[in-house]
Amino acid sequence: MLYKNLQDKIKEIISQDVLTINNRLIAVCEILQKNIDYYDWVGFYFANHEEKTLHLKAFAGELTNHTVIPFGKGICGQVAVSNQNFVVEDVNVQDNYIACSIHVKAEIVIPLFKNGINVGQIDVDSNTADPFSENDERFLEWVNEQVATIL
C-alpha cells in the first residue's frame, strides 16, 4: 500500500509543470526520504557522457561532498558503466565504495534511461543494514520511468 500511495503522489509532483524540473526532482527525493523509513538519503545524479562524470542535481537528506562522481567510481559510477541496478546489502564489504556518511550501511542505485540511454540514476542510502528488496528495485525503476517523462 505504501508504494501505491507514493506512486500517486509522485505522479502528482511530476505533472506540476509550473515547477522547474529540478524542483520536481527535489520534491520526489523529499517524498521518498520522508515516507520510507529506511530511505535516509535520496538523490538524482545525471551523466555528462563527454566528461564521463555524474553530477548531483537533486537530493534529500544530509549534505554530501560527492556532487561529481567519475564513471566507474563508487556504486553510482559503476552503474553509469554497467547500466544495471546495483543493490549493496553491506557497504563495508564493497571495495569500490564512496562513503558519504559513516552512518550508511546499505545502498541501492537504479539507472535512469531516456530514449534507451542511461542519462542518470536514483541513488538511495540507508542507515539500516540490508533493507532493500526486489520491491524497492521495481518501485525505483518506476520512479525513474516517471522522471524520464520530464527530462
Side-chain angles (χ1 to χ4, degrees):
M1 189 58 132
L2 172 65
Y3 294 128
K4 176 63 177 142
N5 291 340
L6 289 176
Q7 284 177 323
D8 293 339
K9 290 178 183 179
I10 289 168
K11 283 181 188 176
E12 182 180 325
I13 290 167
I14 294 295
S15 70
Q16 293 179 14
D17 55 6
V18 295
L19 297 176
T20 66
I21 290 171
N22 203 57
N23 284 342
R24 286 183 267 177
L25 293 173
I26 291 168
V28 168
C29 291
E30 288 174 345
I31 203 159
L32 294 174
Q33 194 249 351
K34 289 178 183 172
N35 286 281
I36 301 178
D37 62 353
Y38 54 93
Y39 283 24
D40 295 295
W41 189 93
V42 179
F44 284 100
Y45 285 91
F46 287 93
N48 179 322
H49 289 282
E50 290 179 13
E51 294 179 6
K52 298 201 178 307
T53 52
L54 295 164
H55 298 263
L56 182 63
K57 296 294 181 195
F59 71 95
E62 291 183 27
L63 292 175
T64 179
N65 293 331
H66 303 288
T67 59
V68 178
I69 300 173
F71 283 14
K73 184 150 175 64
I75 307 308
C76 291
Q78 291 177 73
V79 169
V81 173
S82 73
N83 299 321
Q84 301 291 317
N85 296 354
F86 199 150
V87 180
V88 179
E89 298 169 356
D90 180 356
V91 297
N92 292 316
V93 300
Q94 285 295 316
D95 291 336
N96 189 3
Y97 173 70
I98 300 172
C100 292
S101 164
I102 60 168
H103 305 293
V104 175
K105 295 194 175 18
E107 182 174 11
I108 184 171
V109 179
I110 307 294
L112 194 163
F113 296 96
K114 177 76 175 184
N115 299 323
I117 298 169
N118 181 349
V119 297
Q121 54 202 231
I122 190 168
D123 177 19
V124 180
D125 292 343
S126 180
N127 299 343
T128 303
D130 193 16
F132 303 115
S133 69
E134 189 173 322
N135 290 335
D136 291 291
E137 284 191 74
R138 300 296 84 79
F139 174 63
L140 293 171
E141 288 169 352
W142 179 87
V143 169
N144 281 353
E145 289 169 7
Q146 304 310 302
V147 166
T149 66
I150 63 170
L151 300 178

